[in-house]
Amino acid sequence: MARLLPPDAATMQQAAAALRRSELVAFPTETVYGLGADATSDRAVARIFEAKERPRFNPLIVHVSSMAMVLRLVQWNDLATRLGMAFWPGPLTLVLPRKPDCPASLLCSAGLDSLAIRYPSHPAAQALLTAVGRPLAAPSANRSGNLSPTRAEDVAESLGSAVDIVIDDGPCKLGLESTVVDLTGPVPAVLRPGAITSEALAQRIGSLTAADGGTADMPRRSPGQLESHYAPRKKLRTGATEVAPDEALLAFGSMPLPGARVVLNLSARGDLGEAAANLFAMLRDLDRTDARAIAVMPIPERALGEAINDRLRRASAPR
Ligand code: TXA
Ligand code: MG
């Protein structure tokens, strides 16, 4: 079983040593918990794919704790400077061309010539990265396709014995994954809406395109954006305006629909930040009840609502 350890100096040393031996360590970030591996070790990165049962075509985000580390990995550009200055450290992932001598395992890129980079702000993530002194590949610490973990217990539940050490620093503040922006083309493209809103990005760099699903001769730009993803075990439906007695209700706002068997409210005061932080944890908790299915009330599409609705749409997609 996974061991939950406190985010103190002794843990960081123990975790860093494990990572240098190409073992996996789960750690908190401000978005969700990540399943970390030494990004420069093929063996370590391969273990991530095994532990998560993740398709090999889905590339990984590489986490760093200094700009010096970033500049060894990818070819930097002006747009990256503008976004990095505005949002790093923080919940933004930038996809950039790999440097020819990039030390990250090719497995992180899953056959692409780009690499996704994130500089997290969470103190425990930074402490771990500094202790290892190497970039860490880290997807969300759940089995592929399942709900992302926002608490250390969720990691243990989802991955079980596939990970030995989980650094436990309580619930993640933001609760939604980072926004992934592709800067390899002529126009920046949002590959995955996330904790940084499109409005905030547009303020810094003007126009942005949303990546579409791709076509036969033009593959989707983010391999991870499979239609069904982030899925609870129970059936889930969105935009509910009424609820059946055997359904669990995930409410939003001051007027939860009447009649559900169990009710959790993403935010009684209608706050989208609070709703984002609660989303995955509440879905997990409702998934554990004896209700037949989960009904989710409508969430406004503005600000963080865009990313929340993206996750809910995937959670409700046919599997
Ligand atoms: O908040 C987060 O981003 C969390 C924490 C742990 O940092 N990580 C995370 O990783 O959500 P993951 O693996 O669950 O999602 C990474 C997403 C996937 O959709 C993947 O396809 C995309 O980023 N991605 C990674 N590298 C890419 C690349 N080179 N080109 C395009 N998309 C990439
Ligand atoms: Mg994930």
Side-chain angles (χ1 to χ4, degrees), residues 146-182:
N146 289 5
L147 295 167
S148 295
T150 55
R151 303 167 293 204
E153 309 86 73
D154 300 339
V155 178
E157 186 195 79
S158 188
L159 292 175
S161 56
V163 60
D164 176 33
I165 298 176
V166 182
I167 301 175
D168 181 0
D169 202 7
C172 301
K173 266 211 193 75
L174 300 173
L176 271 186
E177 298 88 344
S178 62
T179 303
V180 180
V181 179
D182 185 351

Side-chain angles (χ1 to χ4, degrees), residues 268-300:
R269 55 195 166 93
D271 181 274
L272 289 164
E274 185 182 23
N278 283 330
L279 179 69
F280 288 128
M282 287 187 173
L283 283 174
R284 268 174 198 273
D285 292 346
L286 291 179
D287 213 17
R288 259 188 235 115
T289 66
D290 65 350
R292 176 184 53 83
I294 300 171
V296 189
M297 285 176 66
I299 312 287

Side-chain angles (χ1 to χ4, degrees), residues 27 29 31-35 52 54 57-61 63 91 93 95-96 108-109 112 114-116 118 120 138-142 148 176-180 182 191-192 221-225 229-230:
F27 63 95
T29 80
T31 59
V32 300
Y33 275 76
L35 180 63
K52 280 186 59 102
R54 183 180 178 104
F57 59 77
N58 193 1
L60 301 172
I61 298 174
H63 297 66
T93 295
V95 176
L96 288 158
C108 298
S109 297
L112 303 171
S114 60
L115 194 65
R118 174 153 121 76
S140 51
N142 52 276
S148 295
L176 271 186
E177 298 88 344
S178 62
T179 303
V180 180
D182 185 351
L191 300 185
R192 177 178 71 182
R221 297 177 69 186
S222 188
Q225 295 304 81
H229 206 127
Y230 311 106

